[in-house]
Structure formats: structure tokens, C-alpha cells
Amino acid sequence: MSTSIETVEREKIDLVALKKTNINVVVFGHGKVGSTLIEQILDKHLSLWKRRDLNVKIIAVVNSTKLLLRPDGINKNWQLEKHTYGTRYSVQTIIDFVKLHEFEHVIAVDNTADDNIVHEYTTLINAGFHLVSSNKKGNTQSLQFYQNLRKTLQVNHKKYLYETNVGAGLPLIDTISLLHASGENITKIRGVFSGSLSYIFNTFGNSNLPISEVLSRAIKKGFTEPDPREDLNGNDVARKLLILARELDLHNELKDVMVENLVPKSLRNSSKEEFLNSLFYLDVPYKIKKTNCRKGNVLRYVAELSGNLAKNDGANLAVRLVEVAKDSVIGQLKGSDTIFEIYTENYDKNPIVIQGAGAGAEVTARGVFGDILRLSEQIKN
């Protein structure tokens, strides 16, 4: 009798499982963002199973050297298992693994800052993978690469979501894409795009601390890259601005962005350790900039997209340190918030404003997770 009851219960479980949509995730990169994302997915697995009929499991975790493959999905011990049982990484090994187990609905999630994985995107798409990425480099390669990637997605009927490329977890790219698709003529986009630089200049403007101390605090809070020059040189903000330009079908390249590098020339080529030991050299120049601000103004590192945007030949793109009124929307920023002002023909004097947390692994990982869930719902339907 007990055997027959067990059989019935097992059949019930199998019937429930049949109603679920299986989402198989391959995570590339498990640094701060990647490892946080993995923990978020594992924590929410049961909730997604019960509430959304989604069985989201991570079948592979990858970094530049090692690969962990788990057809039944990884568990909380994934780091130890990867260290112990991890094999040599290659994209083809992952593709072969997916084919062997006949996985469907596979999402490759790129949490790296690597050019190499970006150049594997088309290979993954052609092999049947969808894409989710926090890596901005996939959208800031040459315009030809960008357009070919879209064609590959279209031919293979695959999706590519990258909301965290600009604004971490804020619904910015979706908003701009919907406005553009609906025919709303966007005339300008302006804002503070970097959470780390937002924190630095918000704190610097509202305290008597030297810029070196503010920068040290930002590093300790994990707001900057390990080498903060990667934030201070403006290249990350420039990539974000280019991504928004391309969302508007503008034919810009990264070289078109005018960027003000905040790192003194004498410190640009030194080692990271030498730079971190030389932060005090920034104090006098930035104290002078602050002192020279007109009364009622503060410094902000602002990105701006403007020009005749009705033409697809390109926009004026600039990233620079500017004075803004302290009582303006940008001037009133606090903490590490980012802010985006979207001007259109119908929102000319009162732009659409999107503002929120712009720094931290938790925020970015949550945004990536959101993209995975949005894509999962599209697959399910």
C-alpha cells in the first residue's frame, strides 16, 4: 500500500513540474555582482517556483579559468564545488553541455567587464541562448558589431536584455526605448550617470573634506572600481552615454564622446598602488575648482546627449565636470544616486526624471535578476 501511495505522490509532483517553465541560466563572471546575483537566484528559487511557475536554475558558473557544470542546478556550495570539480573553461564546452542535456530556454548572463566574452555573443545566440548582460562592452563596440548583433538576435528569435548597462536597476533603457518606439521626439538626455562619481561630488560639495578623503571613503564603501581611475577617467560614463544614443538609433561611436578625464596626467600611467598613495595630489586642484564655483552652485560630473536627434547621423555627446545650481534637480542629488533627465517635444520644460541608487553590487545584481525574470516571463508566455 505504501508503495502505491508513494507512486501517486510522485506522479502528482511530476504533474506539477510539467506546468513549470524551466529557465536554465549560465552565469559568466562571479565577482561582486555575479556572486551576489547567484545568491539572489538561489534564495528566490522556491518563491519563483510557487508564485510564478518558474523553475530558474543555474546550470553553469564560469570565470576566465574554470567552469562548473551542474545539470540539476548549483546549490549553496557552488564555490567549493567549482574550486574542487571545476573544469577548464571554453564557450564550446558550455554549448556541448547544453546540447547533451537538451536544455531549452537557456539564458547566458554576462556579469564581466570582458571584451572576450562579448565577442562570443553571436556564437551563443546561434547556439540557442538568450542574453542578459551588465557588461556595457557588448553595446559599445563598433556600430557594425552592434548592428550585426541585432541581426543575429532577430534571425534566431532571441532576446538580449541589458537594463543595468545604464542606471543599475533603474527602468531607464526601457523608458527611452518605449518613448522612441512610440514616436516621442527625444531632444536631449542629461544627468549624473555614475553612482560612484555622484557620491564623490555630492559628499565633496556638502562637506569640508578634501577630495582625497572623500575618494578614500568611496573606495571603502565599494562604490568605485578597485582602481578608482576607471571611474575618474570618465570612460564608463561615456559608454553609458553611447548606449543611450544607440537606443535612439543614432550612429555614434565611442570616439565621438567628448570626455573630461578627472585624473591628473601625472597620475594616469602609474601603478594602482602608486595612485592610491598619491590621492593627496588631487586636493589642491579640486579645492580651487570648488572655491571658484559661483555662489549657489555645486560641482557635478554630468553626461549630456544633444543635437539634431531627428537625424540618425549622430548626436553631440559630452561628459564633463560642470557647475549646476545647488537647488536644481541635479544639484540636490544625495548619496550615490544617479539621475537622468529626458527632454522631449512634449516634455521640454519639465523633463521626465528618473532617479535612484546607482552604485553597489546588490543594486546591480538585483537589476540583472530583474532582466532574467522579465525574459523568463516573455519565454513563458
Side-chain angles (χ1 to χ4, degrees), residues 264-309:
K265 289 182 180 179
S266 60
L267 299 177
R268 290 177 189 174
N269 296 319
S270 59
S271 69
K272 182 181 80 172
E273 289 70 24
E274 288 173 330
F275 174 72
L276 293 175
N277 289 328
S278 304
L279 295 181
F280 63 91
Y281 283 115
L282 300 171
D283 289 341
V284 172
Y286 280 92
K287 184 176 181 180
I288 292 171
K289 289 178 187 289
K290 184 177 179 179
T291 303
N292 288 341
C293 276
R294 291 185 292 276
K295 186 177 181 180
N297 283 5
V298 288
L299 295 170
R300 295 290 184 265
Y301 196 65
V302 173
E304 183 172 307
L305 180 158
S306 61
N308 186 356
L309 307 186

mmCIF file of all heavy atoms in Angstrom, residues 264-309:
data_model
loop_
_atom_site.group_PDB
_atom_site.id
_atom_site.type_symbol
_atom_site.label_atom_id
_atom_site.label_comp_id
_atom_site.label_asym_id
_atom_site.label_seq_id
_atom_site.Cartn_x
_atom_site.Cartn_y
_atom_site.Cartn_z
ATOM 1 N N PRO A 264 44.647 63.608 -12.966
ATOM 2 C CA PRO A 264 45.762 64.415 -13.498
ATOM 3 C C PRO A 264 46.676 63.577 -14.388
ATOM 4 O O PRO A 264 46.888 62.384 -14.126
ATOM 5 C CB PRO A 264 46.494 64.874 -12.227
ATOM 6 C CG PRO A 264 45.473 64.801 -11.146
ATOM 7 C CD PRO A 264 44.577 63.643 -11.499
ATOM 8 N N LYS A 265 47.205 64.190 -15.430
ATOM 9 C CA LYS A 265 48.046 63.459 -16.387
ATOM 10 C C LYS A 265 49.210 62.755 -15.709
ATOM 11 O O LYS A 265 49.597 61.647 -16.096
ATOM 12 C CB LYS A 265 48.565 64.421 -17.459
ATOM 13 C CG LYS A 265 47.503 64.894 -18.431
ATOM 14 C CD LYS A 265 48.094 65.807 -19.495
ATOM 15 C CE LYS A 265 47.012 66.276 -20.462
ATOM 16 N NZ LYS A 265 47.570 67.196 -21.495
ATOM 17 N N SER A 266 49.758 63.375 -14.677
ATOM 18 C CA SER A 266 50.932 62.799 -13.998
ATOM 19 C C SER A 266 50.616 61.500 -13.266
ATOM 20 O O SER A 266 51.527 60.741 -12.920
ATOM 21 C CB SER A 266 51.499 63.816 -13.008
ATOM 22 O OG SER A 266 50.518 64.153 -12.026
ATOM 23 N N LEU A 267 49.318 61.218 -13.019
ATOM 24 C CA LEU A 267 48.936 60.018 -12.265
ATOM 25 C C LEU A 267 48.239 58.965 -13.126
ATOM 26 O O LEU A 267 47.813 57.938 -12.610
ATOM 27 C CB LEU A 267 48.009 60.414 -11.105
ATOM 28 C CG LEU A 267 48.570 61.372 -10.058
ATOM 29 C CD1 LEU A 267 47.516 61.715 -9.016
ATOM 30 C CD2 LEU A 267 49.806 60.769 -9.390
ATOM 31 N N ARG A 268 48.132 59.193 -14.408
ATOM 32 C CA ARG A 268 47.345 58.287 -15.251
ATOM 33 C C ARG A 268 48.073 56.981 -15.557
ATOM 34 O O ARG A 268 47.432 55.957 -15.788
ATOM 35 C CB ARG A 268 46.955 58.992 -16.560
ATOM 36 C CG ARG A 268 45.937 60.092 -16.345
ATOM 37 C CD ARG A 268 45.603 60.840 -17.623
ATOM 38 N NE ARG A 268 44.788 62.023 -17.316
ATOM 39 C CZ ARG A 268 44.436 62.924 -18.209
ATOM 40 N NH1 ARG A 268 44.813 62.798 -19.486
ATOM 41 N NH2 ARG A 268 43.710 63.977 -17.844
ATOM 42 N N ASN A 269 49.386 56.997 -15.589
ATOM 43 C CA ASN A 269 50.130 55.809 -16.014
ATOM 44 C C ASN A 269 50.872 55.121 -14.875
ATOM 45 O O ASN A 269 51.613 54.164 -15.105
ATOM 46 C CB ASN A 269 51.124 56.185 -17.118
ATOM 47 C CG ASN A 269 50.412 56.678 -18.367
ATOM 48 O OD1 ASN A 269 49.388 56.119 -18.771
ATOM 49 N ND2 ASN A 269 50.935 57.743 -18.969
ATOM 50 N N SER A 270 50.680 55.583 -13.665
ATOM 51 C CA SER A 270 51.338 54.945 -12.517
ATOM 52 C C SER A 270 50.595 53.668 -12.141
ATOM 53 O O SER A 270 49.489 53.410 -12.617
ATOM 54 C CB SER A 270 51.379 55.915 -11.331
ATOM 55 O OG SER A 270 50.063 56.306 -10.981
ATOM 56 N N SER A 271 51.186 52.874 -11.267
ATOM 57 C CA SER A 271 50.512 51.663 -10.803
ATOM 58 C C SER A 271 49.333 52.050 -9.918
ATOM 59 O O SER A 271 49.244 53.181 -9.428
ATOM 60 C CB SER A 271 51.481 50.786 -10.014
ATOM 61 O OG SER A 271 51.799 51.412 -8.777
ATOM 62 N N LYS A 272 48.433 51.098 -9.700
ATOM 63 C CA LYS A 272 47.283 51.370 -8.843
ATOM 64 C C LYS A 272 47.742 51.770 -7.445
ATOM 65 O O LYS A 272 47.207 52.715 -6.848
ATOM 66 C CB LYS A 272 46.373 50.132 -8.766
ATOM 67 C CG LYS A 272 45.123 50.354 -7.916
ATOM 68 C CD LYS A 272 44.249 49.120 -7.838
ATOM 69 C CE LYS A 272 44.772 48.133 -6.819
ATOM 70 N NZ LYS A 272 43.824 46.997 -6.588
ATOM 71 N N GLU A 273 48.724 51.051 -6.904
ATOM 72 C CA GLU A 273 49.213 51.333 -5.557
ATOM 73 C C GLU A 273 49.807 52.734 -5.480
ATOM 74 O O GLU A 273 49.579 53.476 -4.504
ATOM 75 C CB GLU A 273 50.267 50.296 -5.147
ATOM 76 C CG GLU A 273 49.710 48.908 -4.869
ATOM 77 C CD GLU A 273 49.230 48.195 -6.138
ATOM 78 O OE1 GLU A 273 49.723 48.539 -7.240
ATOM 79 O OE2 GLU A 273 48.370 47.303 -6.018
ATOM 80 N N GLU A 274 50.576 53.109 -6.502
ATOM 81 C CA GLU A 274 51.168 54.456 -6.521
ATOM 82 C C GLU A 274 50.080 55.523 -6.569
ATOM 83 O O GLU A 274 50.171 56.553 -5.894
ATOM 84 C CB GLU A 274 52.109 54.603 -7.725
ATOM 85 C CG GLU A 274 53.400 53.824 -7.585
ATOM 86 C CD GLU A 274 54.231 53.841 -8.858
ATOM 87 O OE1 GLU A 274 53.654 53.928 -9.963
ATOM 88 O OE2 GLU A 274 55.464 53.773 -8.747
ATOM 89 N N PHE A 275 49.043 55.258 -7.359
ATOM 90 C CA PHE A 275 47.953 56.229 -7.454
ATOM 91 C C PHE A 275 47.235 56.379 -6.116
ATOM 92 O O PHE A 275 46.990 57.494 -5.657
ATOM 93 C CB PHE A 275 46.955 55.821 -8.534
ATOM 94 C CG PHE A 275 45.734 56.700 -8.578
ATOM 95 C CD1 PHE A 275 45.819 57.997 -9.069
ATOM 96 C CD2 PHE A 275 44.507 56.247 -8.105
ATOM 97 C CE1 PHE A 275 44.710 58.830 -9.077
ATOM 98 C CE2 PHE A 275 43.386 57.064 -8.111
ATOM 99 C CZ PHE A 275 43.490 58.366 -8.607
ATOM 100 N N LEU A 276 46.918 55.254 -5.480
ATOM 101 C CA LEU A 276 46.201 55.297 -4.201
ATOM 102 C C LEU A 276 47.019 55.995 -3.111
ATOM 103 O O LEU A 276 46.457 56.597 -2.191
ATOM 104 C CB LEU A 276 45.828 53.883 -3.758
ATOM 105 C CG LEU A 276 44.790 53.165 -4.633
ATOM 106 C CD1 LEU A 276 44.583 51.728 -4.172
ATOM 107 C CD2 LEU A 276 43.456 53.915 -4.627
ATOM 108 N N ASN A 277 48.336 55.928 -3.228
ATOM 109 C CA ASN A 277 49.203 56.611 -2.264
ATOM 110 C C ASN A 277 49.422 58.081 -2.624
ATOM 111 O O ASN A 277 50.092 58.808 -1.878
ATOM 112 C CB ASN A 277 50.557 55.906 -2.172
ATOM 113 C CG ASN A 277 50.469 54.555 -1.480
ATOM 114 O OD1 ASN A 277 49.644 54.371 -0.585
ATOM 115 N ND2 ASN A 277 51.292 53.606 -1.912
ATOM 116 N N SER A 278 48.868 58.494 -3.747
ATOM 117 C CA SER A 278 49.090 59.874 -4.229
ATOM 118 C C SER A 278 47.801 60.679 -4.320
ATOM 119 O O SER A 278 47.764 61.720 -4.972
ATOM 120 C CB SER A 278 49.759 59.839 -5.622
ATOM 121 O OG SER A 278 50.950 59.098 -5.602
ATOM 122 N N LEU A 279 46.756 60.205 -3.650
ATOM 123 C CA LEU A 279 45.458 60.882 -3.750
ATOM 124 C C LEU A 279 45.512 62.330 -3.276
ATOM 125 O O LEU A 279 44.740 63.173 -3.747
ATOM 126 C CB LEU A 279 44.398 60.117 -2.939
ATOM 127 C CG LEU A 279 44.028 58.706 -3.422
ATOM 128 C CD1 LEU A 279 42.952 58.118 -2.518
ATOM 129 C CD2 LEU A 279 43.554 58.732 -4.863
ATOM 130 N N PHE A 280 46.432 62.617 -2.341
ATOM 131 C CA PHE A 280 46.517 63.985 -1.801
ATOM 132 C C PHE A 280 46.870 65.008 -2.878
ATOM 133 O O PHE A 280 46.593 66.204 -2.728
ATOM 134 C CB PHE A 280 47.530 64.043 -0.648
ATOM 135 C CG PHE A 280 48.943 63.707 -1.050
ATOM 136 C CD1 PHE A 280 49.819 64.700 -1.463
ATOM 137 C CD2 PHE A 280 49.400 62.387 -1.002
ATOM 138 C CE1 PHE A 280 51.120 64.405 -1.822
ATOM 139 C CE2 PHE A 280 50.713 62.079 -1.363
ATOM 140 C CZ PHE A 280 51.568 63.082 -1.785
ATOM 141 N N TYR A 281 47.454 64.543 -4.005
ATOM 142 C CA TYR A 281 47.772 65.467 -5.094
ATOM 143 C C TYR A 281 46.506 66.060 -5.729
ATOM 144 O O TYR A 281 46.565 67.074 -6.423
ATOM 145 C CB TYR A 281 48.590 64.759 -6.184
ATOM 146 C CG TYR A 281 50.038 64.550 -5.828
ATOM 147 C CD1 TYR A 281 50.559 63.270 -5.677
ATOM 148 C CD2 TYR A 281 50.903 65.628 -5.637
ATOM 149 C CE1 TYR A 281 51.890 63.057 -5.349
ATOM 150 C CE2 TYR A 281 52.240 65.439 -5.309
ATOM 151 C CZ TYR A 281 52.718 64.147 -5.163
ATOM 152 O OH TYR A 281 54.048 63.950 -4.831
ATOM 153 N N LEU A 282 45.367 65.411 -5.496
ATOM 154 C CA LEU A 282 44.103 65.903 -6.060
ATOM 155 C C LEU A 282 43.504 67.035 -5.223
ATOM 156 O O LEU A 282 42.640 67.769 -5.707
ATOM 157 C CB LEU A 282 43.086 64.758 -6.134
ATOM 158 C CG LEU A 282 43.448 63.538 -6.971
ATOM 159 C CD1 LEU A 282 42.422 62.431 -6.753
ATOM 160 C CD2 LEU A 282 43.520 63.902 -8.438
ATOM 161 N N ASP A 283 43.953 67.168 -3.978
ATOM 162 C CA ASP A 283 43.274 68.057 -3.039
ATOM 163 C C ASP A 283 43.294 69.520 -3.471
ATOM 164 O O ASP A 283 42.254 70.189 -3.472
ATOM 165 C CB ASP A 283 43.881 67.919 -1.641
ATOM 166 C CG ASP A 283 43.533 66.588 -0.989
ATOM 167 O OD1 ASP A 283 42.563 65.948 -1.436
ATOM 168 O OD2 ASP A 283 44.235 66.183 -0.040
ATOM 169 N N VAL A 284 44.462 70.045 -3.814
ATOM 170 C CA VAL A 284 44.557 71.473 -4.166
ATOM 171 C C VAL A 284 43.784 71.801 -5.443
ATOM 172 O O VAL A 284 42.978 72.747 -5.449
ATOM 173 C CB VAL A 284 46.031 71.913 -4.280
ATOM 174 C CG1 VAL A 284 46.127 73.336 -4.841
ATOM 175 C CG2 VAL A 284 46.712 71.842 -2.920
ATOM 176 N N PRO A 285 43.978 71.046 -6.540
ATOM 177 C CA PRO A 285 43.218 71.385 -7.759
ATOM 178 C C PRO A 285 41.707 71.362 -7.557
ATOM 179 O O PRO A 285 40.994 72.244 -8.066
ATOM 180 C CB PRO A 285 43.652 70.297 -8.758
ATOM 181 C CG PRO A 285 44.958 69.810 -8.267
ATOM 182 C CD PRO A 285 44.904 69.924 -6.782
ATOM 183 N N TYR A 286 41.202 70.397 -6.791
ATOM 184 C CA TYR A 286 39.749 70.308 -6.629
ATOM 185 C C TYR A 286 39.228 71.305 -5.590
ATOM 186 O O TYR A 286 38.078 71.750 -5.684
ATOM 187 C CB TYR A 286 39.333 68.870 -6.318
ATOM 188 C CG TYR A 286 39.297 68.053 -7.581
ATOM 189 C CD1 TYR A 286 40.409 67.342 -8.004
ATOM 190 C CD2 TYR A 286 38.176 68.076 -8.405
ATOM 191 C CE1 TYR A 286 40.396 66.639 -9.197
ATOM 192 C CE2 TYR A 286 38.150 67.380 -9.593
ATOM 193 C CZ TYR A 286 39.262 66.663 -9.987
ATOM 194 O OH TYR A 286 39.254 65.985 -11.183
ATOM 195 N N LYS A 287 40.077 71.704 -4.655
ATOM 196 C CA LYS A 287 39.678 72.777 -3.746
ATOM 197 C C LYS A 287 39.530 74.080 -4.527
ATOM 198 O O LYS A 287 38.606 74.871 -4.276
ATOM 199 C CB LYS A 287 40.716 72.941 -2.630
ATOM 200 C CG LYS A 287 40.304 73.980 -1.598
ATOM 201 C CD LYS A 287 41.294 74.055 -0.448
ATOM 202 C CE LYS A 287 40.828 75.087 0.588
ATOM 203 N NZ LYS A 287 41.764 75.190 1.733
ATOM 204 N N ILE A 288 40.427 74.309 -5.470
ATOM 205 C CA ILE A 288 40.355 75.512 -6.308
ATOM 206 C C ILE A 288 39.075 75.500 -7.145
ATOM 207 O O ILE A 288 38.370 76.507 -7.255
ATOM 208 C CB ILE A 288 41.609 75.621 -7.211
ATOM 209 C CG1 ILE A 288 42.849 75.893 -6.361
ATOM 210 C CG2 ILE A 288 41.422 76.705 -8.273
ATOM 211 C CD1 ILE A 288 44.156 75.802 -7.116
ATOM 212 N N LYS A 289 38.760 74.330 -7.750
ATOM 213 C CA LYS A 289 37.529 74.222 -8.547
ATOM 214 C C LYS A 289 36.305 74.532 -7.690
ATOM 215 O O LYS A 289 35.379 75.233 -8.120
ATOM 216 C CB LYS A 289 37.414 72.806 -9.137
ATOM 217 C CG LYS A 289 38.396 72.469 -10.242
ATOM 218 C CD LYS A 289 38.206 71.030 -10.697
ATOM 219 C CE LYS A 289 39.277 70.600 -11.691
ATOM 220 N NZ LYS A 289 39.121 71.249 -13.004
ATOM 221 N N LYS A 290 36.301 74.016 -6.485
ATOM 222 C CA LYS A 290 35.164 74.230 -5.584
ATOM 223 C C LYS A 290 35.076 75.702 -5.175
ATOM 224 O O LYS A 290 33.982 76.287 -5.158
ATOM 225 C CB LYS A 290 35.335 73.338 -4.348
ATOM 226 C CG LYS A 290 34.173 73.390 -3.359
ATOM 227 C CD LYS A 290 34.432 72.401 -2.219
ATOM 228 C CE LYS A 290 33.331 72.423 -1.179
ATOM 229 N NZ LYS A 290 33.584 71.450 -0.085
ATOM 230 N N THR A 291 36.210 76.291 -4.865
ATOM 231 C CA THR A 291 36.240 77.702 -4.457
ATOM 232 C C THR A 291 35.780 78.616 -5.583
ATOM 233 O O THR A 291 35.128 79.644 -5.339
ATOM 234 C CB THR A 291 37.662 78.101 -4.003
ATOM 235 O OG1 THR A 291 38.072 77.240 -2.932
ATOM 236 C CG2 THR A 291 37.711 79.547 -3.545
ATOM 237 N N ASN A 292 36.109 78.245 -6.819
ATOM 238 C CA ASN A 292 35.783 79.081 -7.983
ATOM 239 C C ASN A 292 34.337 78.949 -8.437
ATOM 240 O O ASN A 292 33.910 79.662 -9.354
ATOM 241 C CB ASN A 292 36.712 78.752 -9.151
ATOM 242 C CG ASN A 292 38.125 79.265 -8.919
ATOM 243 O OD1 ASN A 292 38.340 80.146 -8.083
ATOM 244 N ND2 ASN A 292 39.087 78.721 -9.645
ATOM 245 N N CYS A 293 33.584 78.024 -7.831
ATOM 246 C CA CYS A 293 32.163 77.900 -8.179
ATOM 247 C C CYS A 293 31.420 79.182 -7.816
ATOM 248 O O CYS A 293 31.660 79.775 -6.761
ATOM 249 C CB CYS A 293 31.521 76.733 -7.410
ATOM 250 S SG CYS A 293 31.728 75.127 -8.167
ATOM 251 N N ARG A 294 30.522 79.605 -8.699
ATOM 252 C CA ARG A 294 29.690 80.755 -8.376
ATOM 253 C C ARG A 294 28.810 80.447 -7.175
ATOM 254 O O ARG A 294 28.453 79.293 -6.935
ATOM 255 C CB ARG A 294 28.838 81.146 -9.592
ATOM 256 C CG ARG A 294 29.651 81.722 -10.746
ATOM 257 C CD ARG A 294 28.752 82.192 -11.873
ATOM 258 N NE ARG A 294 28.086 81.060 -12.533
ATOM 259 C CZ ARG A 294 28.651 80.335 -13.498
ATOM 260 N NH1 ARG A 294 29.880 80.609 -13.899
ATOM 261 N NH2 ARG A 294 27.982 79.347 -14.048
ATOM 262 N N LYS A 295 28.430 81.488 -6.438
ATOM 263 C CA LYS A 295 27.625 81.321 -5.243
ATOM 264 C C LYS A 295 26.321 80.601 -5.585
ATOM 265 O O LYS A 295 25.637 80.959 -6.544
ATOM 266 C CB LYS A 295 27.321 82.680 -4.612
ATOM 267 C CG LYS A 295 26.610 82.575 -3.269
ATOM 268 C CD LYS A 295 26.397 83.948 -2.643
ATOM 269 C CE LYS A 295 25.697 83.812 -1.296
ATOM 270 N NZ LYS A 295 25.474 85.133 -0.654
ATOM 271 N N GLY A 296 25.981 79.567 -4.797
ATOM 272 C CA GLY A 296 24.755 78.812 -5.038
ATOM 273 C C GLY A 296 24.920 77.674 -6.012
ATOM 274 O O GLY A 296 23.948 76.977 -6.330
ATOM 275 N N ASN A 297 26.160 77.462 -6.495
ATOM 276 C CA ASN A 297 26.427 76.373 -7.438
ATOM 277 C C ASN A 297 27.266 75.273 -6.793
ATOM 278 O O ASN A 297 27.979 75.508 -5.816
ATOM 279 C CB ASN A 297 27.169 76.894 -8.674
ATOM 280 C CG ASN A 297 26.241 77.624 -9.628
ATOM 281 O OD1 ASN A 297 25.067 77.820 -9.330
ATOM 282 N ND2 ASN A 297 26.766 78.037 -10.761
ATOM 283 N N VAL A 298 27.160 74.077 -7.359
ATOM 284 C CA VAL A 298 27.965 72.935 -6.911
ATOM 285 C C VAL A 298 28.509 72.210 -8.138
ATOM 286 O O VAL A 298 28.028 72.397 -9.263
ATOM 287 C CB VAL A 298 27.130 71.948 -6.057
ATOM 288 C CG1 VAL A 298 26.820 72.540 -4.705
ATOM 289 C CG2 VAL A 298 25.863 71.530 -6.786
ATOM 290 N N LEU A 299 29.521 71.383 -7.896
ATOM 291 C CA LEU A 299 30.138 70.608 -8.980
ATOM 292 C C LEU A 299 29.419 69.272 -9.153
ATOM 293 O O LEU A 299 29.128 68.585 -8.177
ATOM 294 C CB LEU A 299 31.615 70.358 -8.681
ATOM 295 C CG LEU A 299 32.528 71.581 -8.642
ATOM 296 C CD1 LEU A 299 33.892 71.185 -8.084
ATOM 297 C CD2 LEU A 299 32.673 72.199 -10.040
ATOM 298 N N ARG A 300 29.164 68.909 -10.398
ATOM 299 C CA ARG A 300 28.605 67.598 -10.716
ATOM 300 C C ARG A 300 29.253 67.087 -12.014
ATOM 301 O O ARG A 300 29.523 67.879 -12.923
ATOM 302 C CB ARG A 300 27.078 67.668 -10.905
ATOM 303 C CG ARG A 300 26.291 68.047 -9.648
ATOM 304 C CD ARG A 300 26.304 66.941 -8.621
ATOM 305 N NE ARG A 300 25.494 67.250 -7.459
ATOM 306 C CZ ARG A 300 25.957 67.779 -6.331
ATOM 307 N NH1 ARG A 300 27.255 68.078 -6.231
ATOM 308 N NH2 ARG A 300 25.155 68.019 -5.314
ATOM 309 N N TYR A 301 29.457 65.757 -12.063
ATOM 310 C CA TYR A 301 30.023 65.150 -13.274
ATOM 311 C C TYR A 301 28.850 64.729 -14.157
ATOM 312 O O TYR A 301 28.177 63.735 -13.877
ATOM 313 C CB TYR A 301 30.909 63.962 -12.918
ATOM 314 C CG TYR A 301 31.825 63.526 -14.033
ATOM 315 C CD1 TYR A 301 32.842 64.356 -14.493
ATOM 316 C CD2 TYR A 301 31.684 62.278 -14.636
ATOM 317 C CE1 TYR A 301 33.695 63.965 -15.501
ATOM 318 C CE2 TYR A 301 32.531 61.875 -15.644
ATOM 319 C CZ TYR A 301 33.537 62.722 -16.076
ATOM 320 O OH TYR A 301 34.380 62.322 -17.089
ATOM 321 N N VAL A 302 28.609 65.505 -15.206
ATOM 322 C CA VAL A 302 27.371 65.411 -15.976
ATOM 323 C C VAL A 302 27.625 64.873 -17.385
ATOM 324 O O VAL A 302 28.583 65.265 -18.061
ATOM 325 C CB VAL A 302 26.691 66.798 -16.060
ATOM 326 C CG1 VAL A 302 25.487 66.772 -16.997
ATOM 327 C CG2 VAL A 302 26.258 67.249 -14.670
ATOM 328 N N ALA A 303 26.749 63.968 -17.808
ATOM 329 C CA ALA A 303 26.753 63.469 -19.181
ATOM 330 C C ALA A 303 25.577 64.104 -19.920
ATOM 331 O O ALA A 303 24.504 64.279 -19.352
ATOM 332 C CB ALA A 303 26.627 61.949 -19.191
ATOM 333 N N GLU A 304 25.796 64.443 -21.197
ATOM 334 C CA GLU A 304 24.715 65.074 -21.956
ATOM 335 C C GLU A 304 24.722 64.613 -23.408
ATOM 336 O O GLU A 304 25.768 64.549 -24.058
ATOM 337 C CB GLU A 304 24.843 66.597 -21.901
ATOM 338 C CG GLU A 304 23.703 67.326 -22.607
ATOM 339 C CD GLU A 304 23.730 68.826 -22.372
ATOM 340 O OE1 GLU A 304 23.782 69.249 -21.200
ATOM 341 O OE2 GLU A 304 23.713 69.571 -23.373
ATOM 342 N N LEU A 305 23.541 64.293 -23.884
ATOM 343 C CA LEU A 305 23.298 63.904 -25.275
ATOM 344 C C LEU A 305 22.382 64.965 -25.861
ATOM 345 O O LEU A 305 21.298 65.219 -25.331
ATOM 346 C CB LEU A 305 22.640 62.526 -25.302
ATOM 347 C CG LEU A 305 22.268 61.865 -26.625
ATOM 348 C CD1 LEU A 305 22.151 60.351 -26.422
ATOM 349 C CD2 LEU A 305 20.954 62.382 -27.199
ATOM 350 N N SER A 306 22.812 65.598 -26.948
ATOM 351 C CA SER A 306 22.012 66.674 -27.518
ATOM 352 C C SER A 306 22.294 66.792 -29.012
ATOM 353 O O SER A 306 23.074 66.030 -29.575
ATOM 354 C CB SER A 306 22.330 67.999 -26.815
ATOM 355 O OG SER A 306 23.697 68.335 -26.986
ATOM 356 N N GLY A 307 21.644 67.764 -29.652
ATOM 357 C CA GLY A 307 21.839 67.982 -31.077
ATOM 358 C C GLY A 307 20.555 67.773 -31.844
ATOM 359 O O GLY A 307 19.462 67.670 -31.266
ATOM 360 N N ASN A 308 20.677 67.689 -33.164
ATOM 361 C CA ASN A 308 19.513 67.421 -34.010
ATOM 362 C C ASN A 308 19.282 65.922 -34.057
ATOM 363 O O ASN A 308 19.774 65.221 -34.935
ATOM 364 C CB ASN A 308 19.738 67.988 -35.416
ATOM 365 C CG ASN A 308 18.496 67.872 -36.295
ATOM 366 O OD1 ASN A 308 17.477 67.297 -35.884
ATOM 367 N ND2 ASN A 308 18.563 68.427 -37.489
ATOM 368 N N LEU A 309 18.522 65.417 -33.093
ATOM 369 C CA LEU A 309 18.366 63.981 -32.940
ATOM 370 C C LEU A 309 17.387 63.379 -33.940
ATOM 371 O O LEU A 309 17.234 62.162 -34.002
ATOM 372 C CB LEU A 309 17.931 63.643 -31.513
ATOM 373 C CG LEU A 309 18.819 64.218 -30.395
ATOM 374 C CD1 LEU A 309 18.370 63.684 -29.045
ATOM 375 C CD2 LEU A 309 20.280 63.918 -30.631
#
